Amino acid sequence: MPAGSSSRFTDGRVPDHGIGDLFTYEARLQARLDVEAALAEAEAAVQVIPAEAGEAIAEAADLDKLDLDRIEKATAEHSHPLTPLVEELSRVVGTKHGGWVHWGATTQNITQTADLILMRQAHDKILDLLGDLLRSLSKVAEAGAEVPMPGRTHSQHAVPITFGFKVAIWIDEIAAHVDRLRSVEDRVFRLLMGGAAGTMASFGSHARAIETETASRLDMGSMPVPSRAINDGMVEWVSILGLLGGTAGKIGKDVYSMMQPEFGEAFEPIPEGTIGSSTMPHKRNPQLTLDVITAATQLRGLVAPAMESMLHDHEANGAMTGILEDAVAQASRLAGDVLARLVVIFTGLTFDEDRMRANLALSGGLIGSESLMLELGERIGRQVAHDIVFELAQRSAVEELDFASLLAASPEVSAHFSRDEISDLLDPCRHLGESANIARAMAEHARRVADTIQIPSV
């Protein structure tokens, strides 16, 4: 199992999203070398260091050319996160130009900017997964656009909906998260190159030019105030992933409950040979859905420490930096775990139309009470109609009596509707509102949003 992976027993059922590998020790070192190289080239471009030094440093900034054992040993000896890497890079560059490595920068300038490089790669992978998910959800929403099922509020039957409408709810939130992630990019991916306290004093009169040149080489923006104590953009990014975790958790809970035998409405794909229980051969457990619920919970839990990381005292606090480094890496991996599983779930999701219709009938017509009450209300007033239908509905539920028969026997109701009209008004399929239209509209919306992320396959 690669370093940084989720190590879940279901990993074999899910394509590797590759985000965990971005934050391995080696990947972080190489990203830091990339920043050192960009800084050296920028300083050479504005003639702060010799041009030959910039070229030599950039050429040597390859982890394969450095002695990793030497770096690890020096890190243990000196208890510093970056100096051993700088010293090793300087050694490989050589005596003539090695003294120009890390010129004017402080540790966090390099480590945070390097983490932003990795974070941006994770960001792109997350967006790509969101595109895959939206395409899968689009197909499910269209397939279920007109399939009626019980709508549920407070876990009880509410009014009828269609399965496509339920999926449309998920699409709306997922698409909003794409928008949020895109909108935060300019606030997140900004070079931190302000020196020890953010004043840029160590870069002299060429400070802003060095910053601009380095940012350009790393394809990043610049910070108006390059302070080590400013991290709100990165915190916002983690918070958006936390919101994604909220949506994913809700979806996971819905699928989990629909897979229960008592519901039997929708099912995640269960490949042949998948074992649900070591002792109960019949089990078909919602393994990926359970993963989604677990990882989404952990993802939401990272928002609080990310927020805490904003509490730098004065111009920098290493504890806050460390908290955010961990939150970013963990949130990235967990978001990938969640999305990769949701893609598999909805690419292979099946749903049982007959069972959904059967569940609609469980209440013996009670789920159609609103429809009948509104029609009756047009004749005798809404509140009066509500009181009459309420009394009969509660009696039906408590005494287990046929709701339609109670309505037909009521003088107030039978004065306006025949028995056939009552049955028709209680038919769940006549009270679906805009469910199908909303489902189809959101299916199209999902495709449009996905198209902004990915080039549609031909």
Side-chain angles (χ1 to χ4, degrees), residues 85-105:
L85 180 66
V86 171
E87 291 176 345
E88 176 63 6
L89 177 58
S90 299
R91 183 186 69 81
V92 173
V93 170
T95 304
K96 182 176 181 181
H97 299 302
W100 294 109
V101 172
H102 196 63
W103 189 260

Side-chain angles (χ1 to χ4, degrees), residues 70 91 452:
R70 186 192 294 264
R91 183 186 69 81
T452 69

Side-chain angles (χ1 to χ4, degrees), residues 4-16:
S5 68
S6 61
S7 300
R8 302 181 191 277
F9 72 86
T10 55
D11 282 347
R13 293 181 55 190
V14 180
D16 181 17

Side-chain angles (χ1 to χ4, degrees), residues 25 40 56 74 102 115 145 148 234 289 296 324 356 398 438 457:
Y25 176 65
H102 196 63
D115 274 357
M234 297 174 72
T289 301
L324 188 56
M356 290 178 179
V398 173
I438 290 172
S457 57

Side-chain angles (χ1 to χ4, degrees), residues 364-448:
L366 286 171
I367 199 168
S369 68
E370 182 185 71
S371 173
L372 187 140
M373 182 272 291
L374 290 172
E375 288 285 342
L376 183 60
E378 289 185 6
R379 293 157 175 79
I380 63 176
R382 196 207 70 86
Q383 191 57 50
V384 174
H386 182 279
D387 292 344
I388 292 170
V389 176
F390 172 81
E391 284 271 344
L392 297 173
Q394 299 309 306
R395 185 180 171 195
S396 172
V398 173
E399 299 180 24
E400 297 184 357
L401 298 173
D402 182 65
F403 186 43
S405 296
L406 289 176
L407 289 166
S410 167
E412 295 90 346
V413 178
S414 61
H416 302 282
F417 305 118
S418 68
R419 179 61 187 259
D420 287 344
E421 288 172 328
I422 290 171
S423 295
D424 184 57
L425 287 169
L426 294 181
D427 180 0
C429 293
R430 74 179 304 277
H431 198 58
L432 294 170
E434 289 293 307
S435 291
N437 291 334
I438 290 172
R440 293 192 178 97
M442 291 311 294
E444 176 60 28
H445 180 57
R447 289 191 292 270
R448 285 197 303 269

Side-chain angles (χ1 to χ4, degrees), residues 31 58 81 83 98 137 148 157 162 172 176 232 269 281 394 403 410 429 457:
T83 297
L137 288 172
H157 279 200
T162 67
D172 189 61
D232 58 301
Q394 299 309 306
F403 186 43
S410 167
C429 293
S457 57

